Amino acid sequence: MPTDTEYLGYAAGVLTTFAFLPQAYRMIRTRQARDISLTWVTAMTAGVFLWLCYGILKQSIPIMAANGITFLLLLIILVIKIRYRAHSDSGRHQ
Amino acid sequence: MPTDTEYLGYAAGVLTTFAFLPQAYRMIRTRQARDISLTWVTAMTAGVFLWLCYGILKQSIPIMAANGITFLLLLIILVIKIRYRAHSDSGRHQ
């Protein structure tokens, strides 16, 4: 049976994974990505992919699941950031 | 000595931690946070705080360090998001 500490880890994982759902949804809806740093999205996508590999090597289902879902959501955010970059970078500020 | 898998974990942790540095910097510089979902920032801040507690209970220095730094950067992002919310939500779209 998982300990209280493990439950805390699961709660943390659920929060930091599903947090990306409203962020991806917002960007799909508004098609705006100006306030998102491209360095952040790129580094996060690469980092979460490494966490996914780490989870596979460690055979840890929670690490695989959390980072697999986050990786897909970050790919959506990355595509929108690149696609709407030119659009987002013009005309919204003086 | 750490194994190759552990090195992979460290690389993943460095990427997903320091990714927040350019994001926080961008928001401090532009004072714009419109494209950031408040739900994302709130859930991430809460989740990373739980990861920090998890790291303390597990006595894991890498989990504590990574999530401690990320927590501070997310607090900056959260403050900017709340502070410039009204400003950001007016006049940037039709």
Side-chain angles (χ1 to χ4, degrees):
Chain A
M1 235 184 96
T3 61
D4 285 352
T5 307
E6 291 312 306
Y7 279 126
L8 187 68
Y10 285 128
V14 166
L15 276 169
T16 54
T17 299
F18 290 100
F20 285 89
L21 212 58
Q23 182 60 51
Y25 173 71
R26 184 185 186 96
M27 290 176 67
I28 291 166
R29 192 168 50 83
T30 64
R31 288 161 197 257
Q32 291 283 0
R34 192 191 162 108
D35 302 331
I36 306 282
S37 151
L38 182 60
T39 316
W40 173 78
V41 200
T42 313
M44 279 300 283
T45 309
V48 165
F49 179 73
L50 292 190
W51 277 126
L52 179 61
C53 299
Y54 179 82
I56 292 166
L57 289 170
K58 283 271 189 185
Q59 297 186 297
S60 160
I61 303 283
I63 296 181
M64 277 189 255
N67 289 287
I69 296 167
T70 311
F71 181 67
L72 291 178
L73 293 170
L74 276 165
L75 277 186
I76 296 172
I77 292 172
L78 184 63
V79 166
I80 296 175
K81 176 66 191 174
I82 292 168
R83 188 150 174 214
Y84 295 103
R85 209 185 166 188
H87 170 62
S88 296
D89 278 350
S90 65
R92 289 216 351 232
H93 291 288
Q94 283 76 24
Chain B
M1 233 183 98
T3 62
D4 286 353
T5 308
E6 291 311 307
Y7 280 125
L8 188 68
Y10 286 127
V14 166
L15 275 169
T16 53
T17 299
F18 290 100
F20 286 89
L21 213 57
Q23 182 60 50
Y25 174 71
R26 185 185 185 96
M27 290 176 67
I28 290 166
R29 193 169 49 86
T30 64
R31 288 161 198 258
Q32 290 284 358
R34 192 192 162 109
D35 302 333
I36 306 283
S37 150
L38 182 61
T39 317
W40 174 78
V41 200
T42 313
M44 279 300 284
T45 309
V48 165
F49 180 73
L50 293 191
W51 277 126
L52 179 61
C53 298
Y54 178 82
I56 292 165
L57 289 170
K58 283 272 188 184
Q59 296 187 298
S60 161
I61 302 285
I63 296 181
M64 277 189 255
N67 289 288
I69 296 166
T70 311
F71 181 67
L72 292 178
L73 292 170
L74 276 165
L75 277 186
I76 295 171
I77 293 172
L78 184 63
V79 167
I80 295 175
K81 175 67 191 175
I82 291 168
R83 184 145 180 220
Y84 294 103
R85 206 183 169 189
H87 170 63
S88 296
D89 279 351
S90 64
R92 287 213 354 227
H93 291 288
Q94 285 74 24

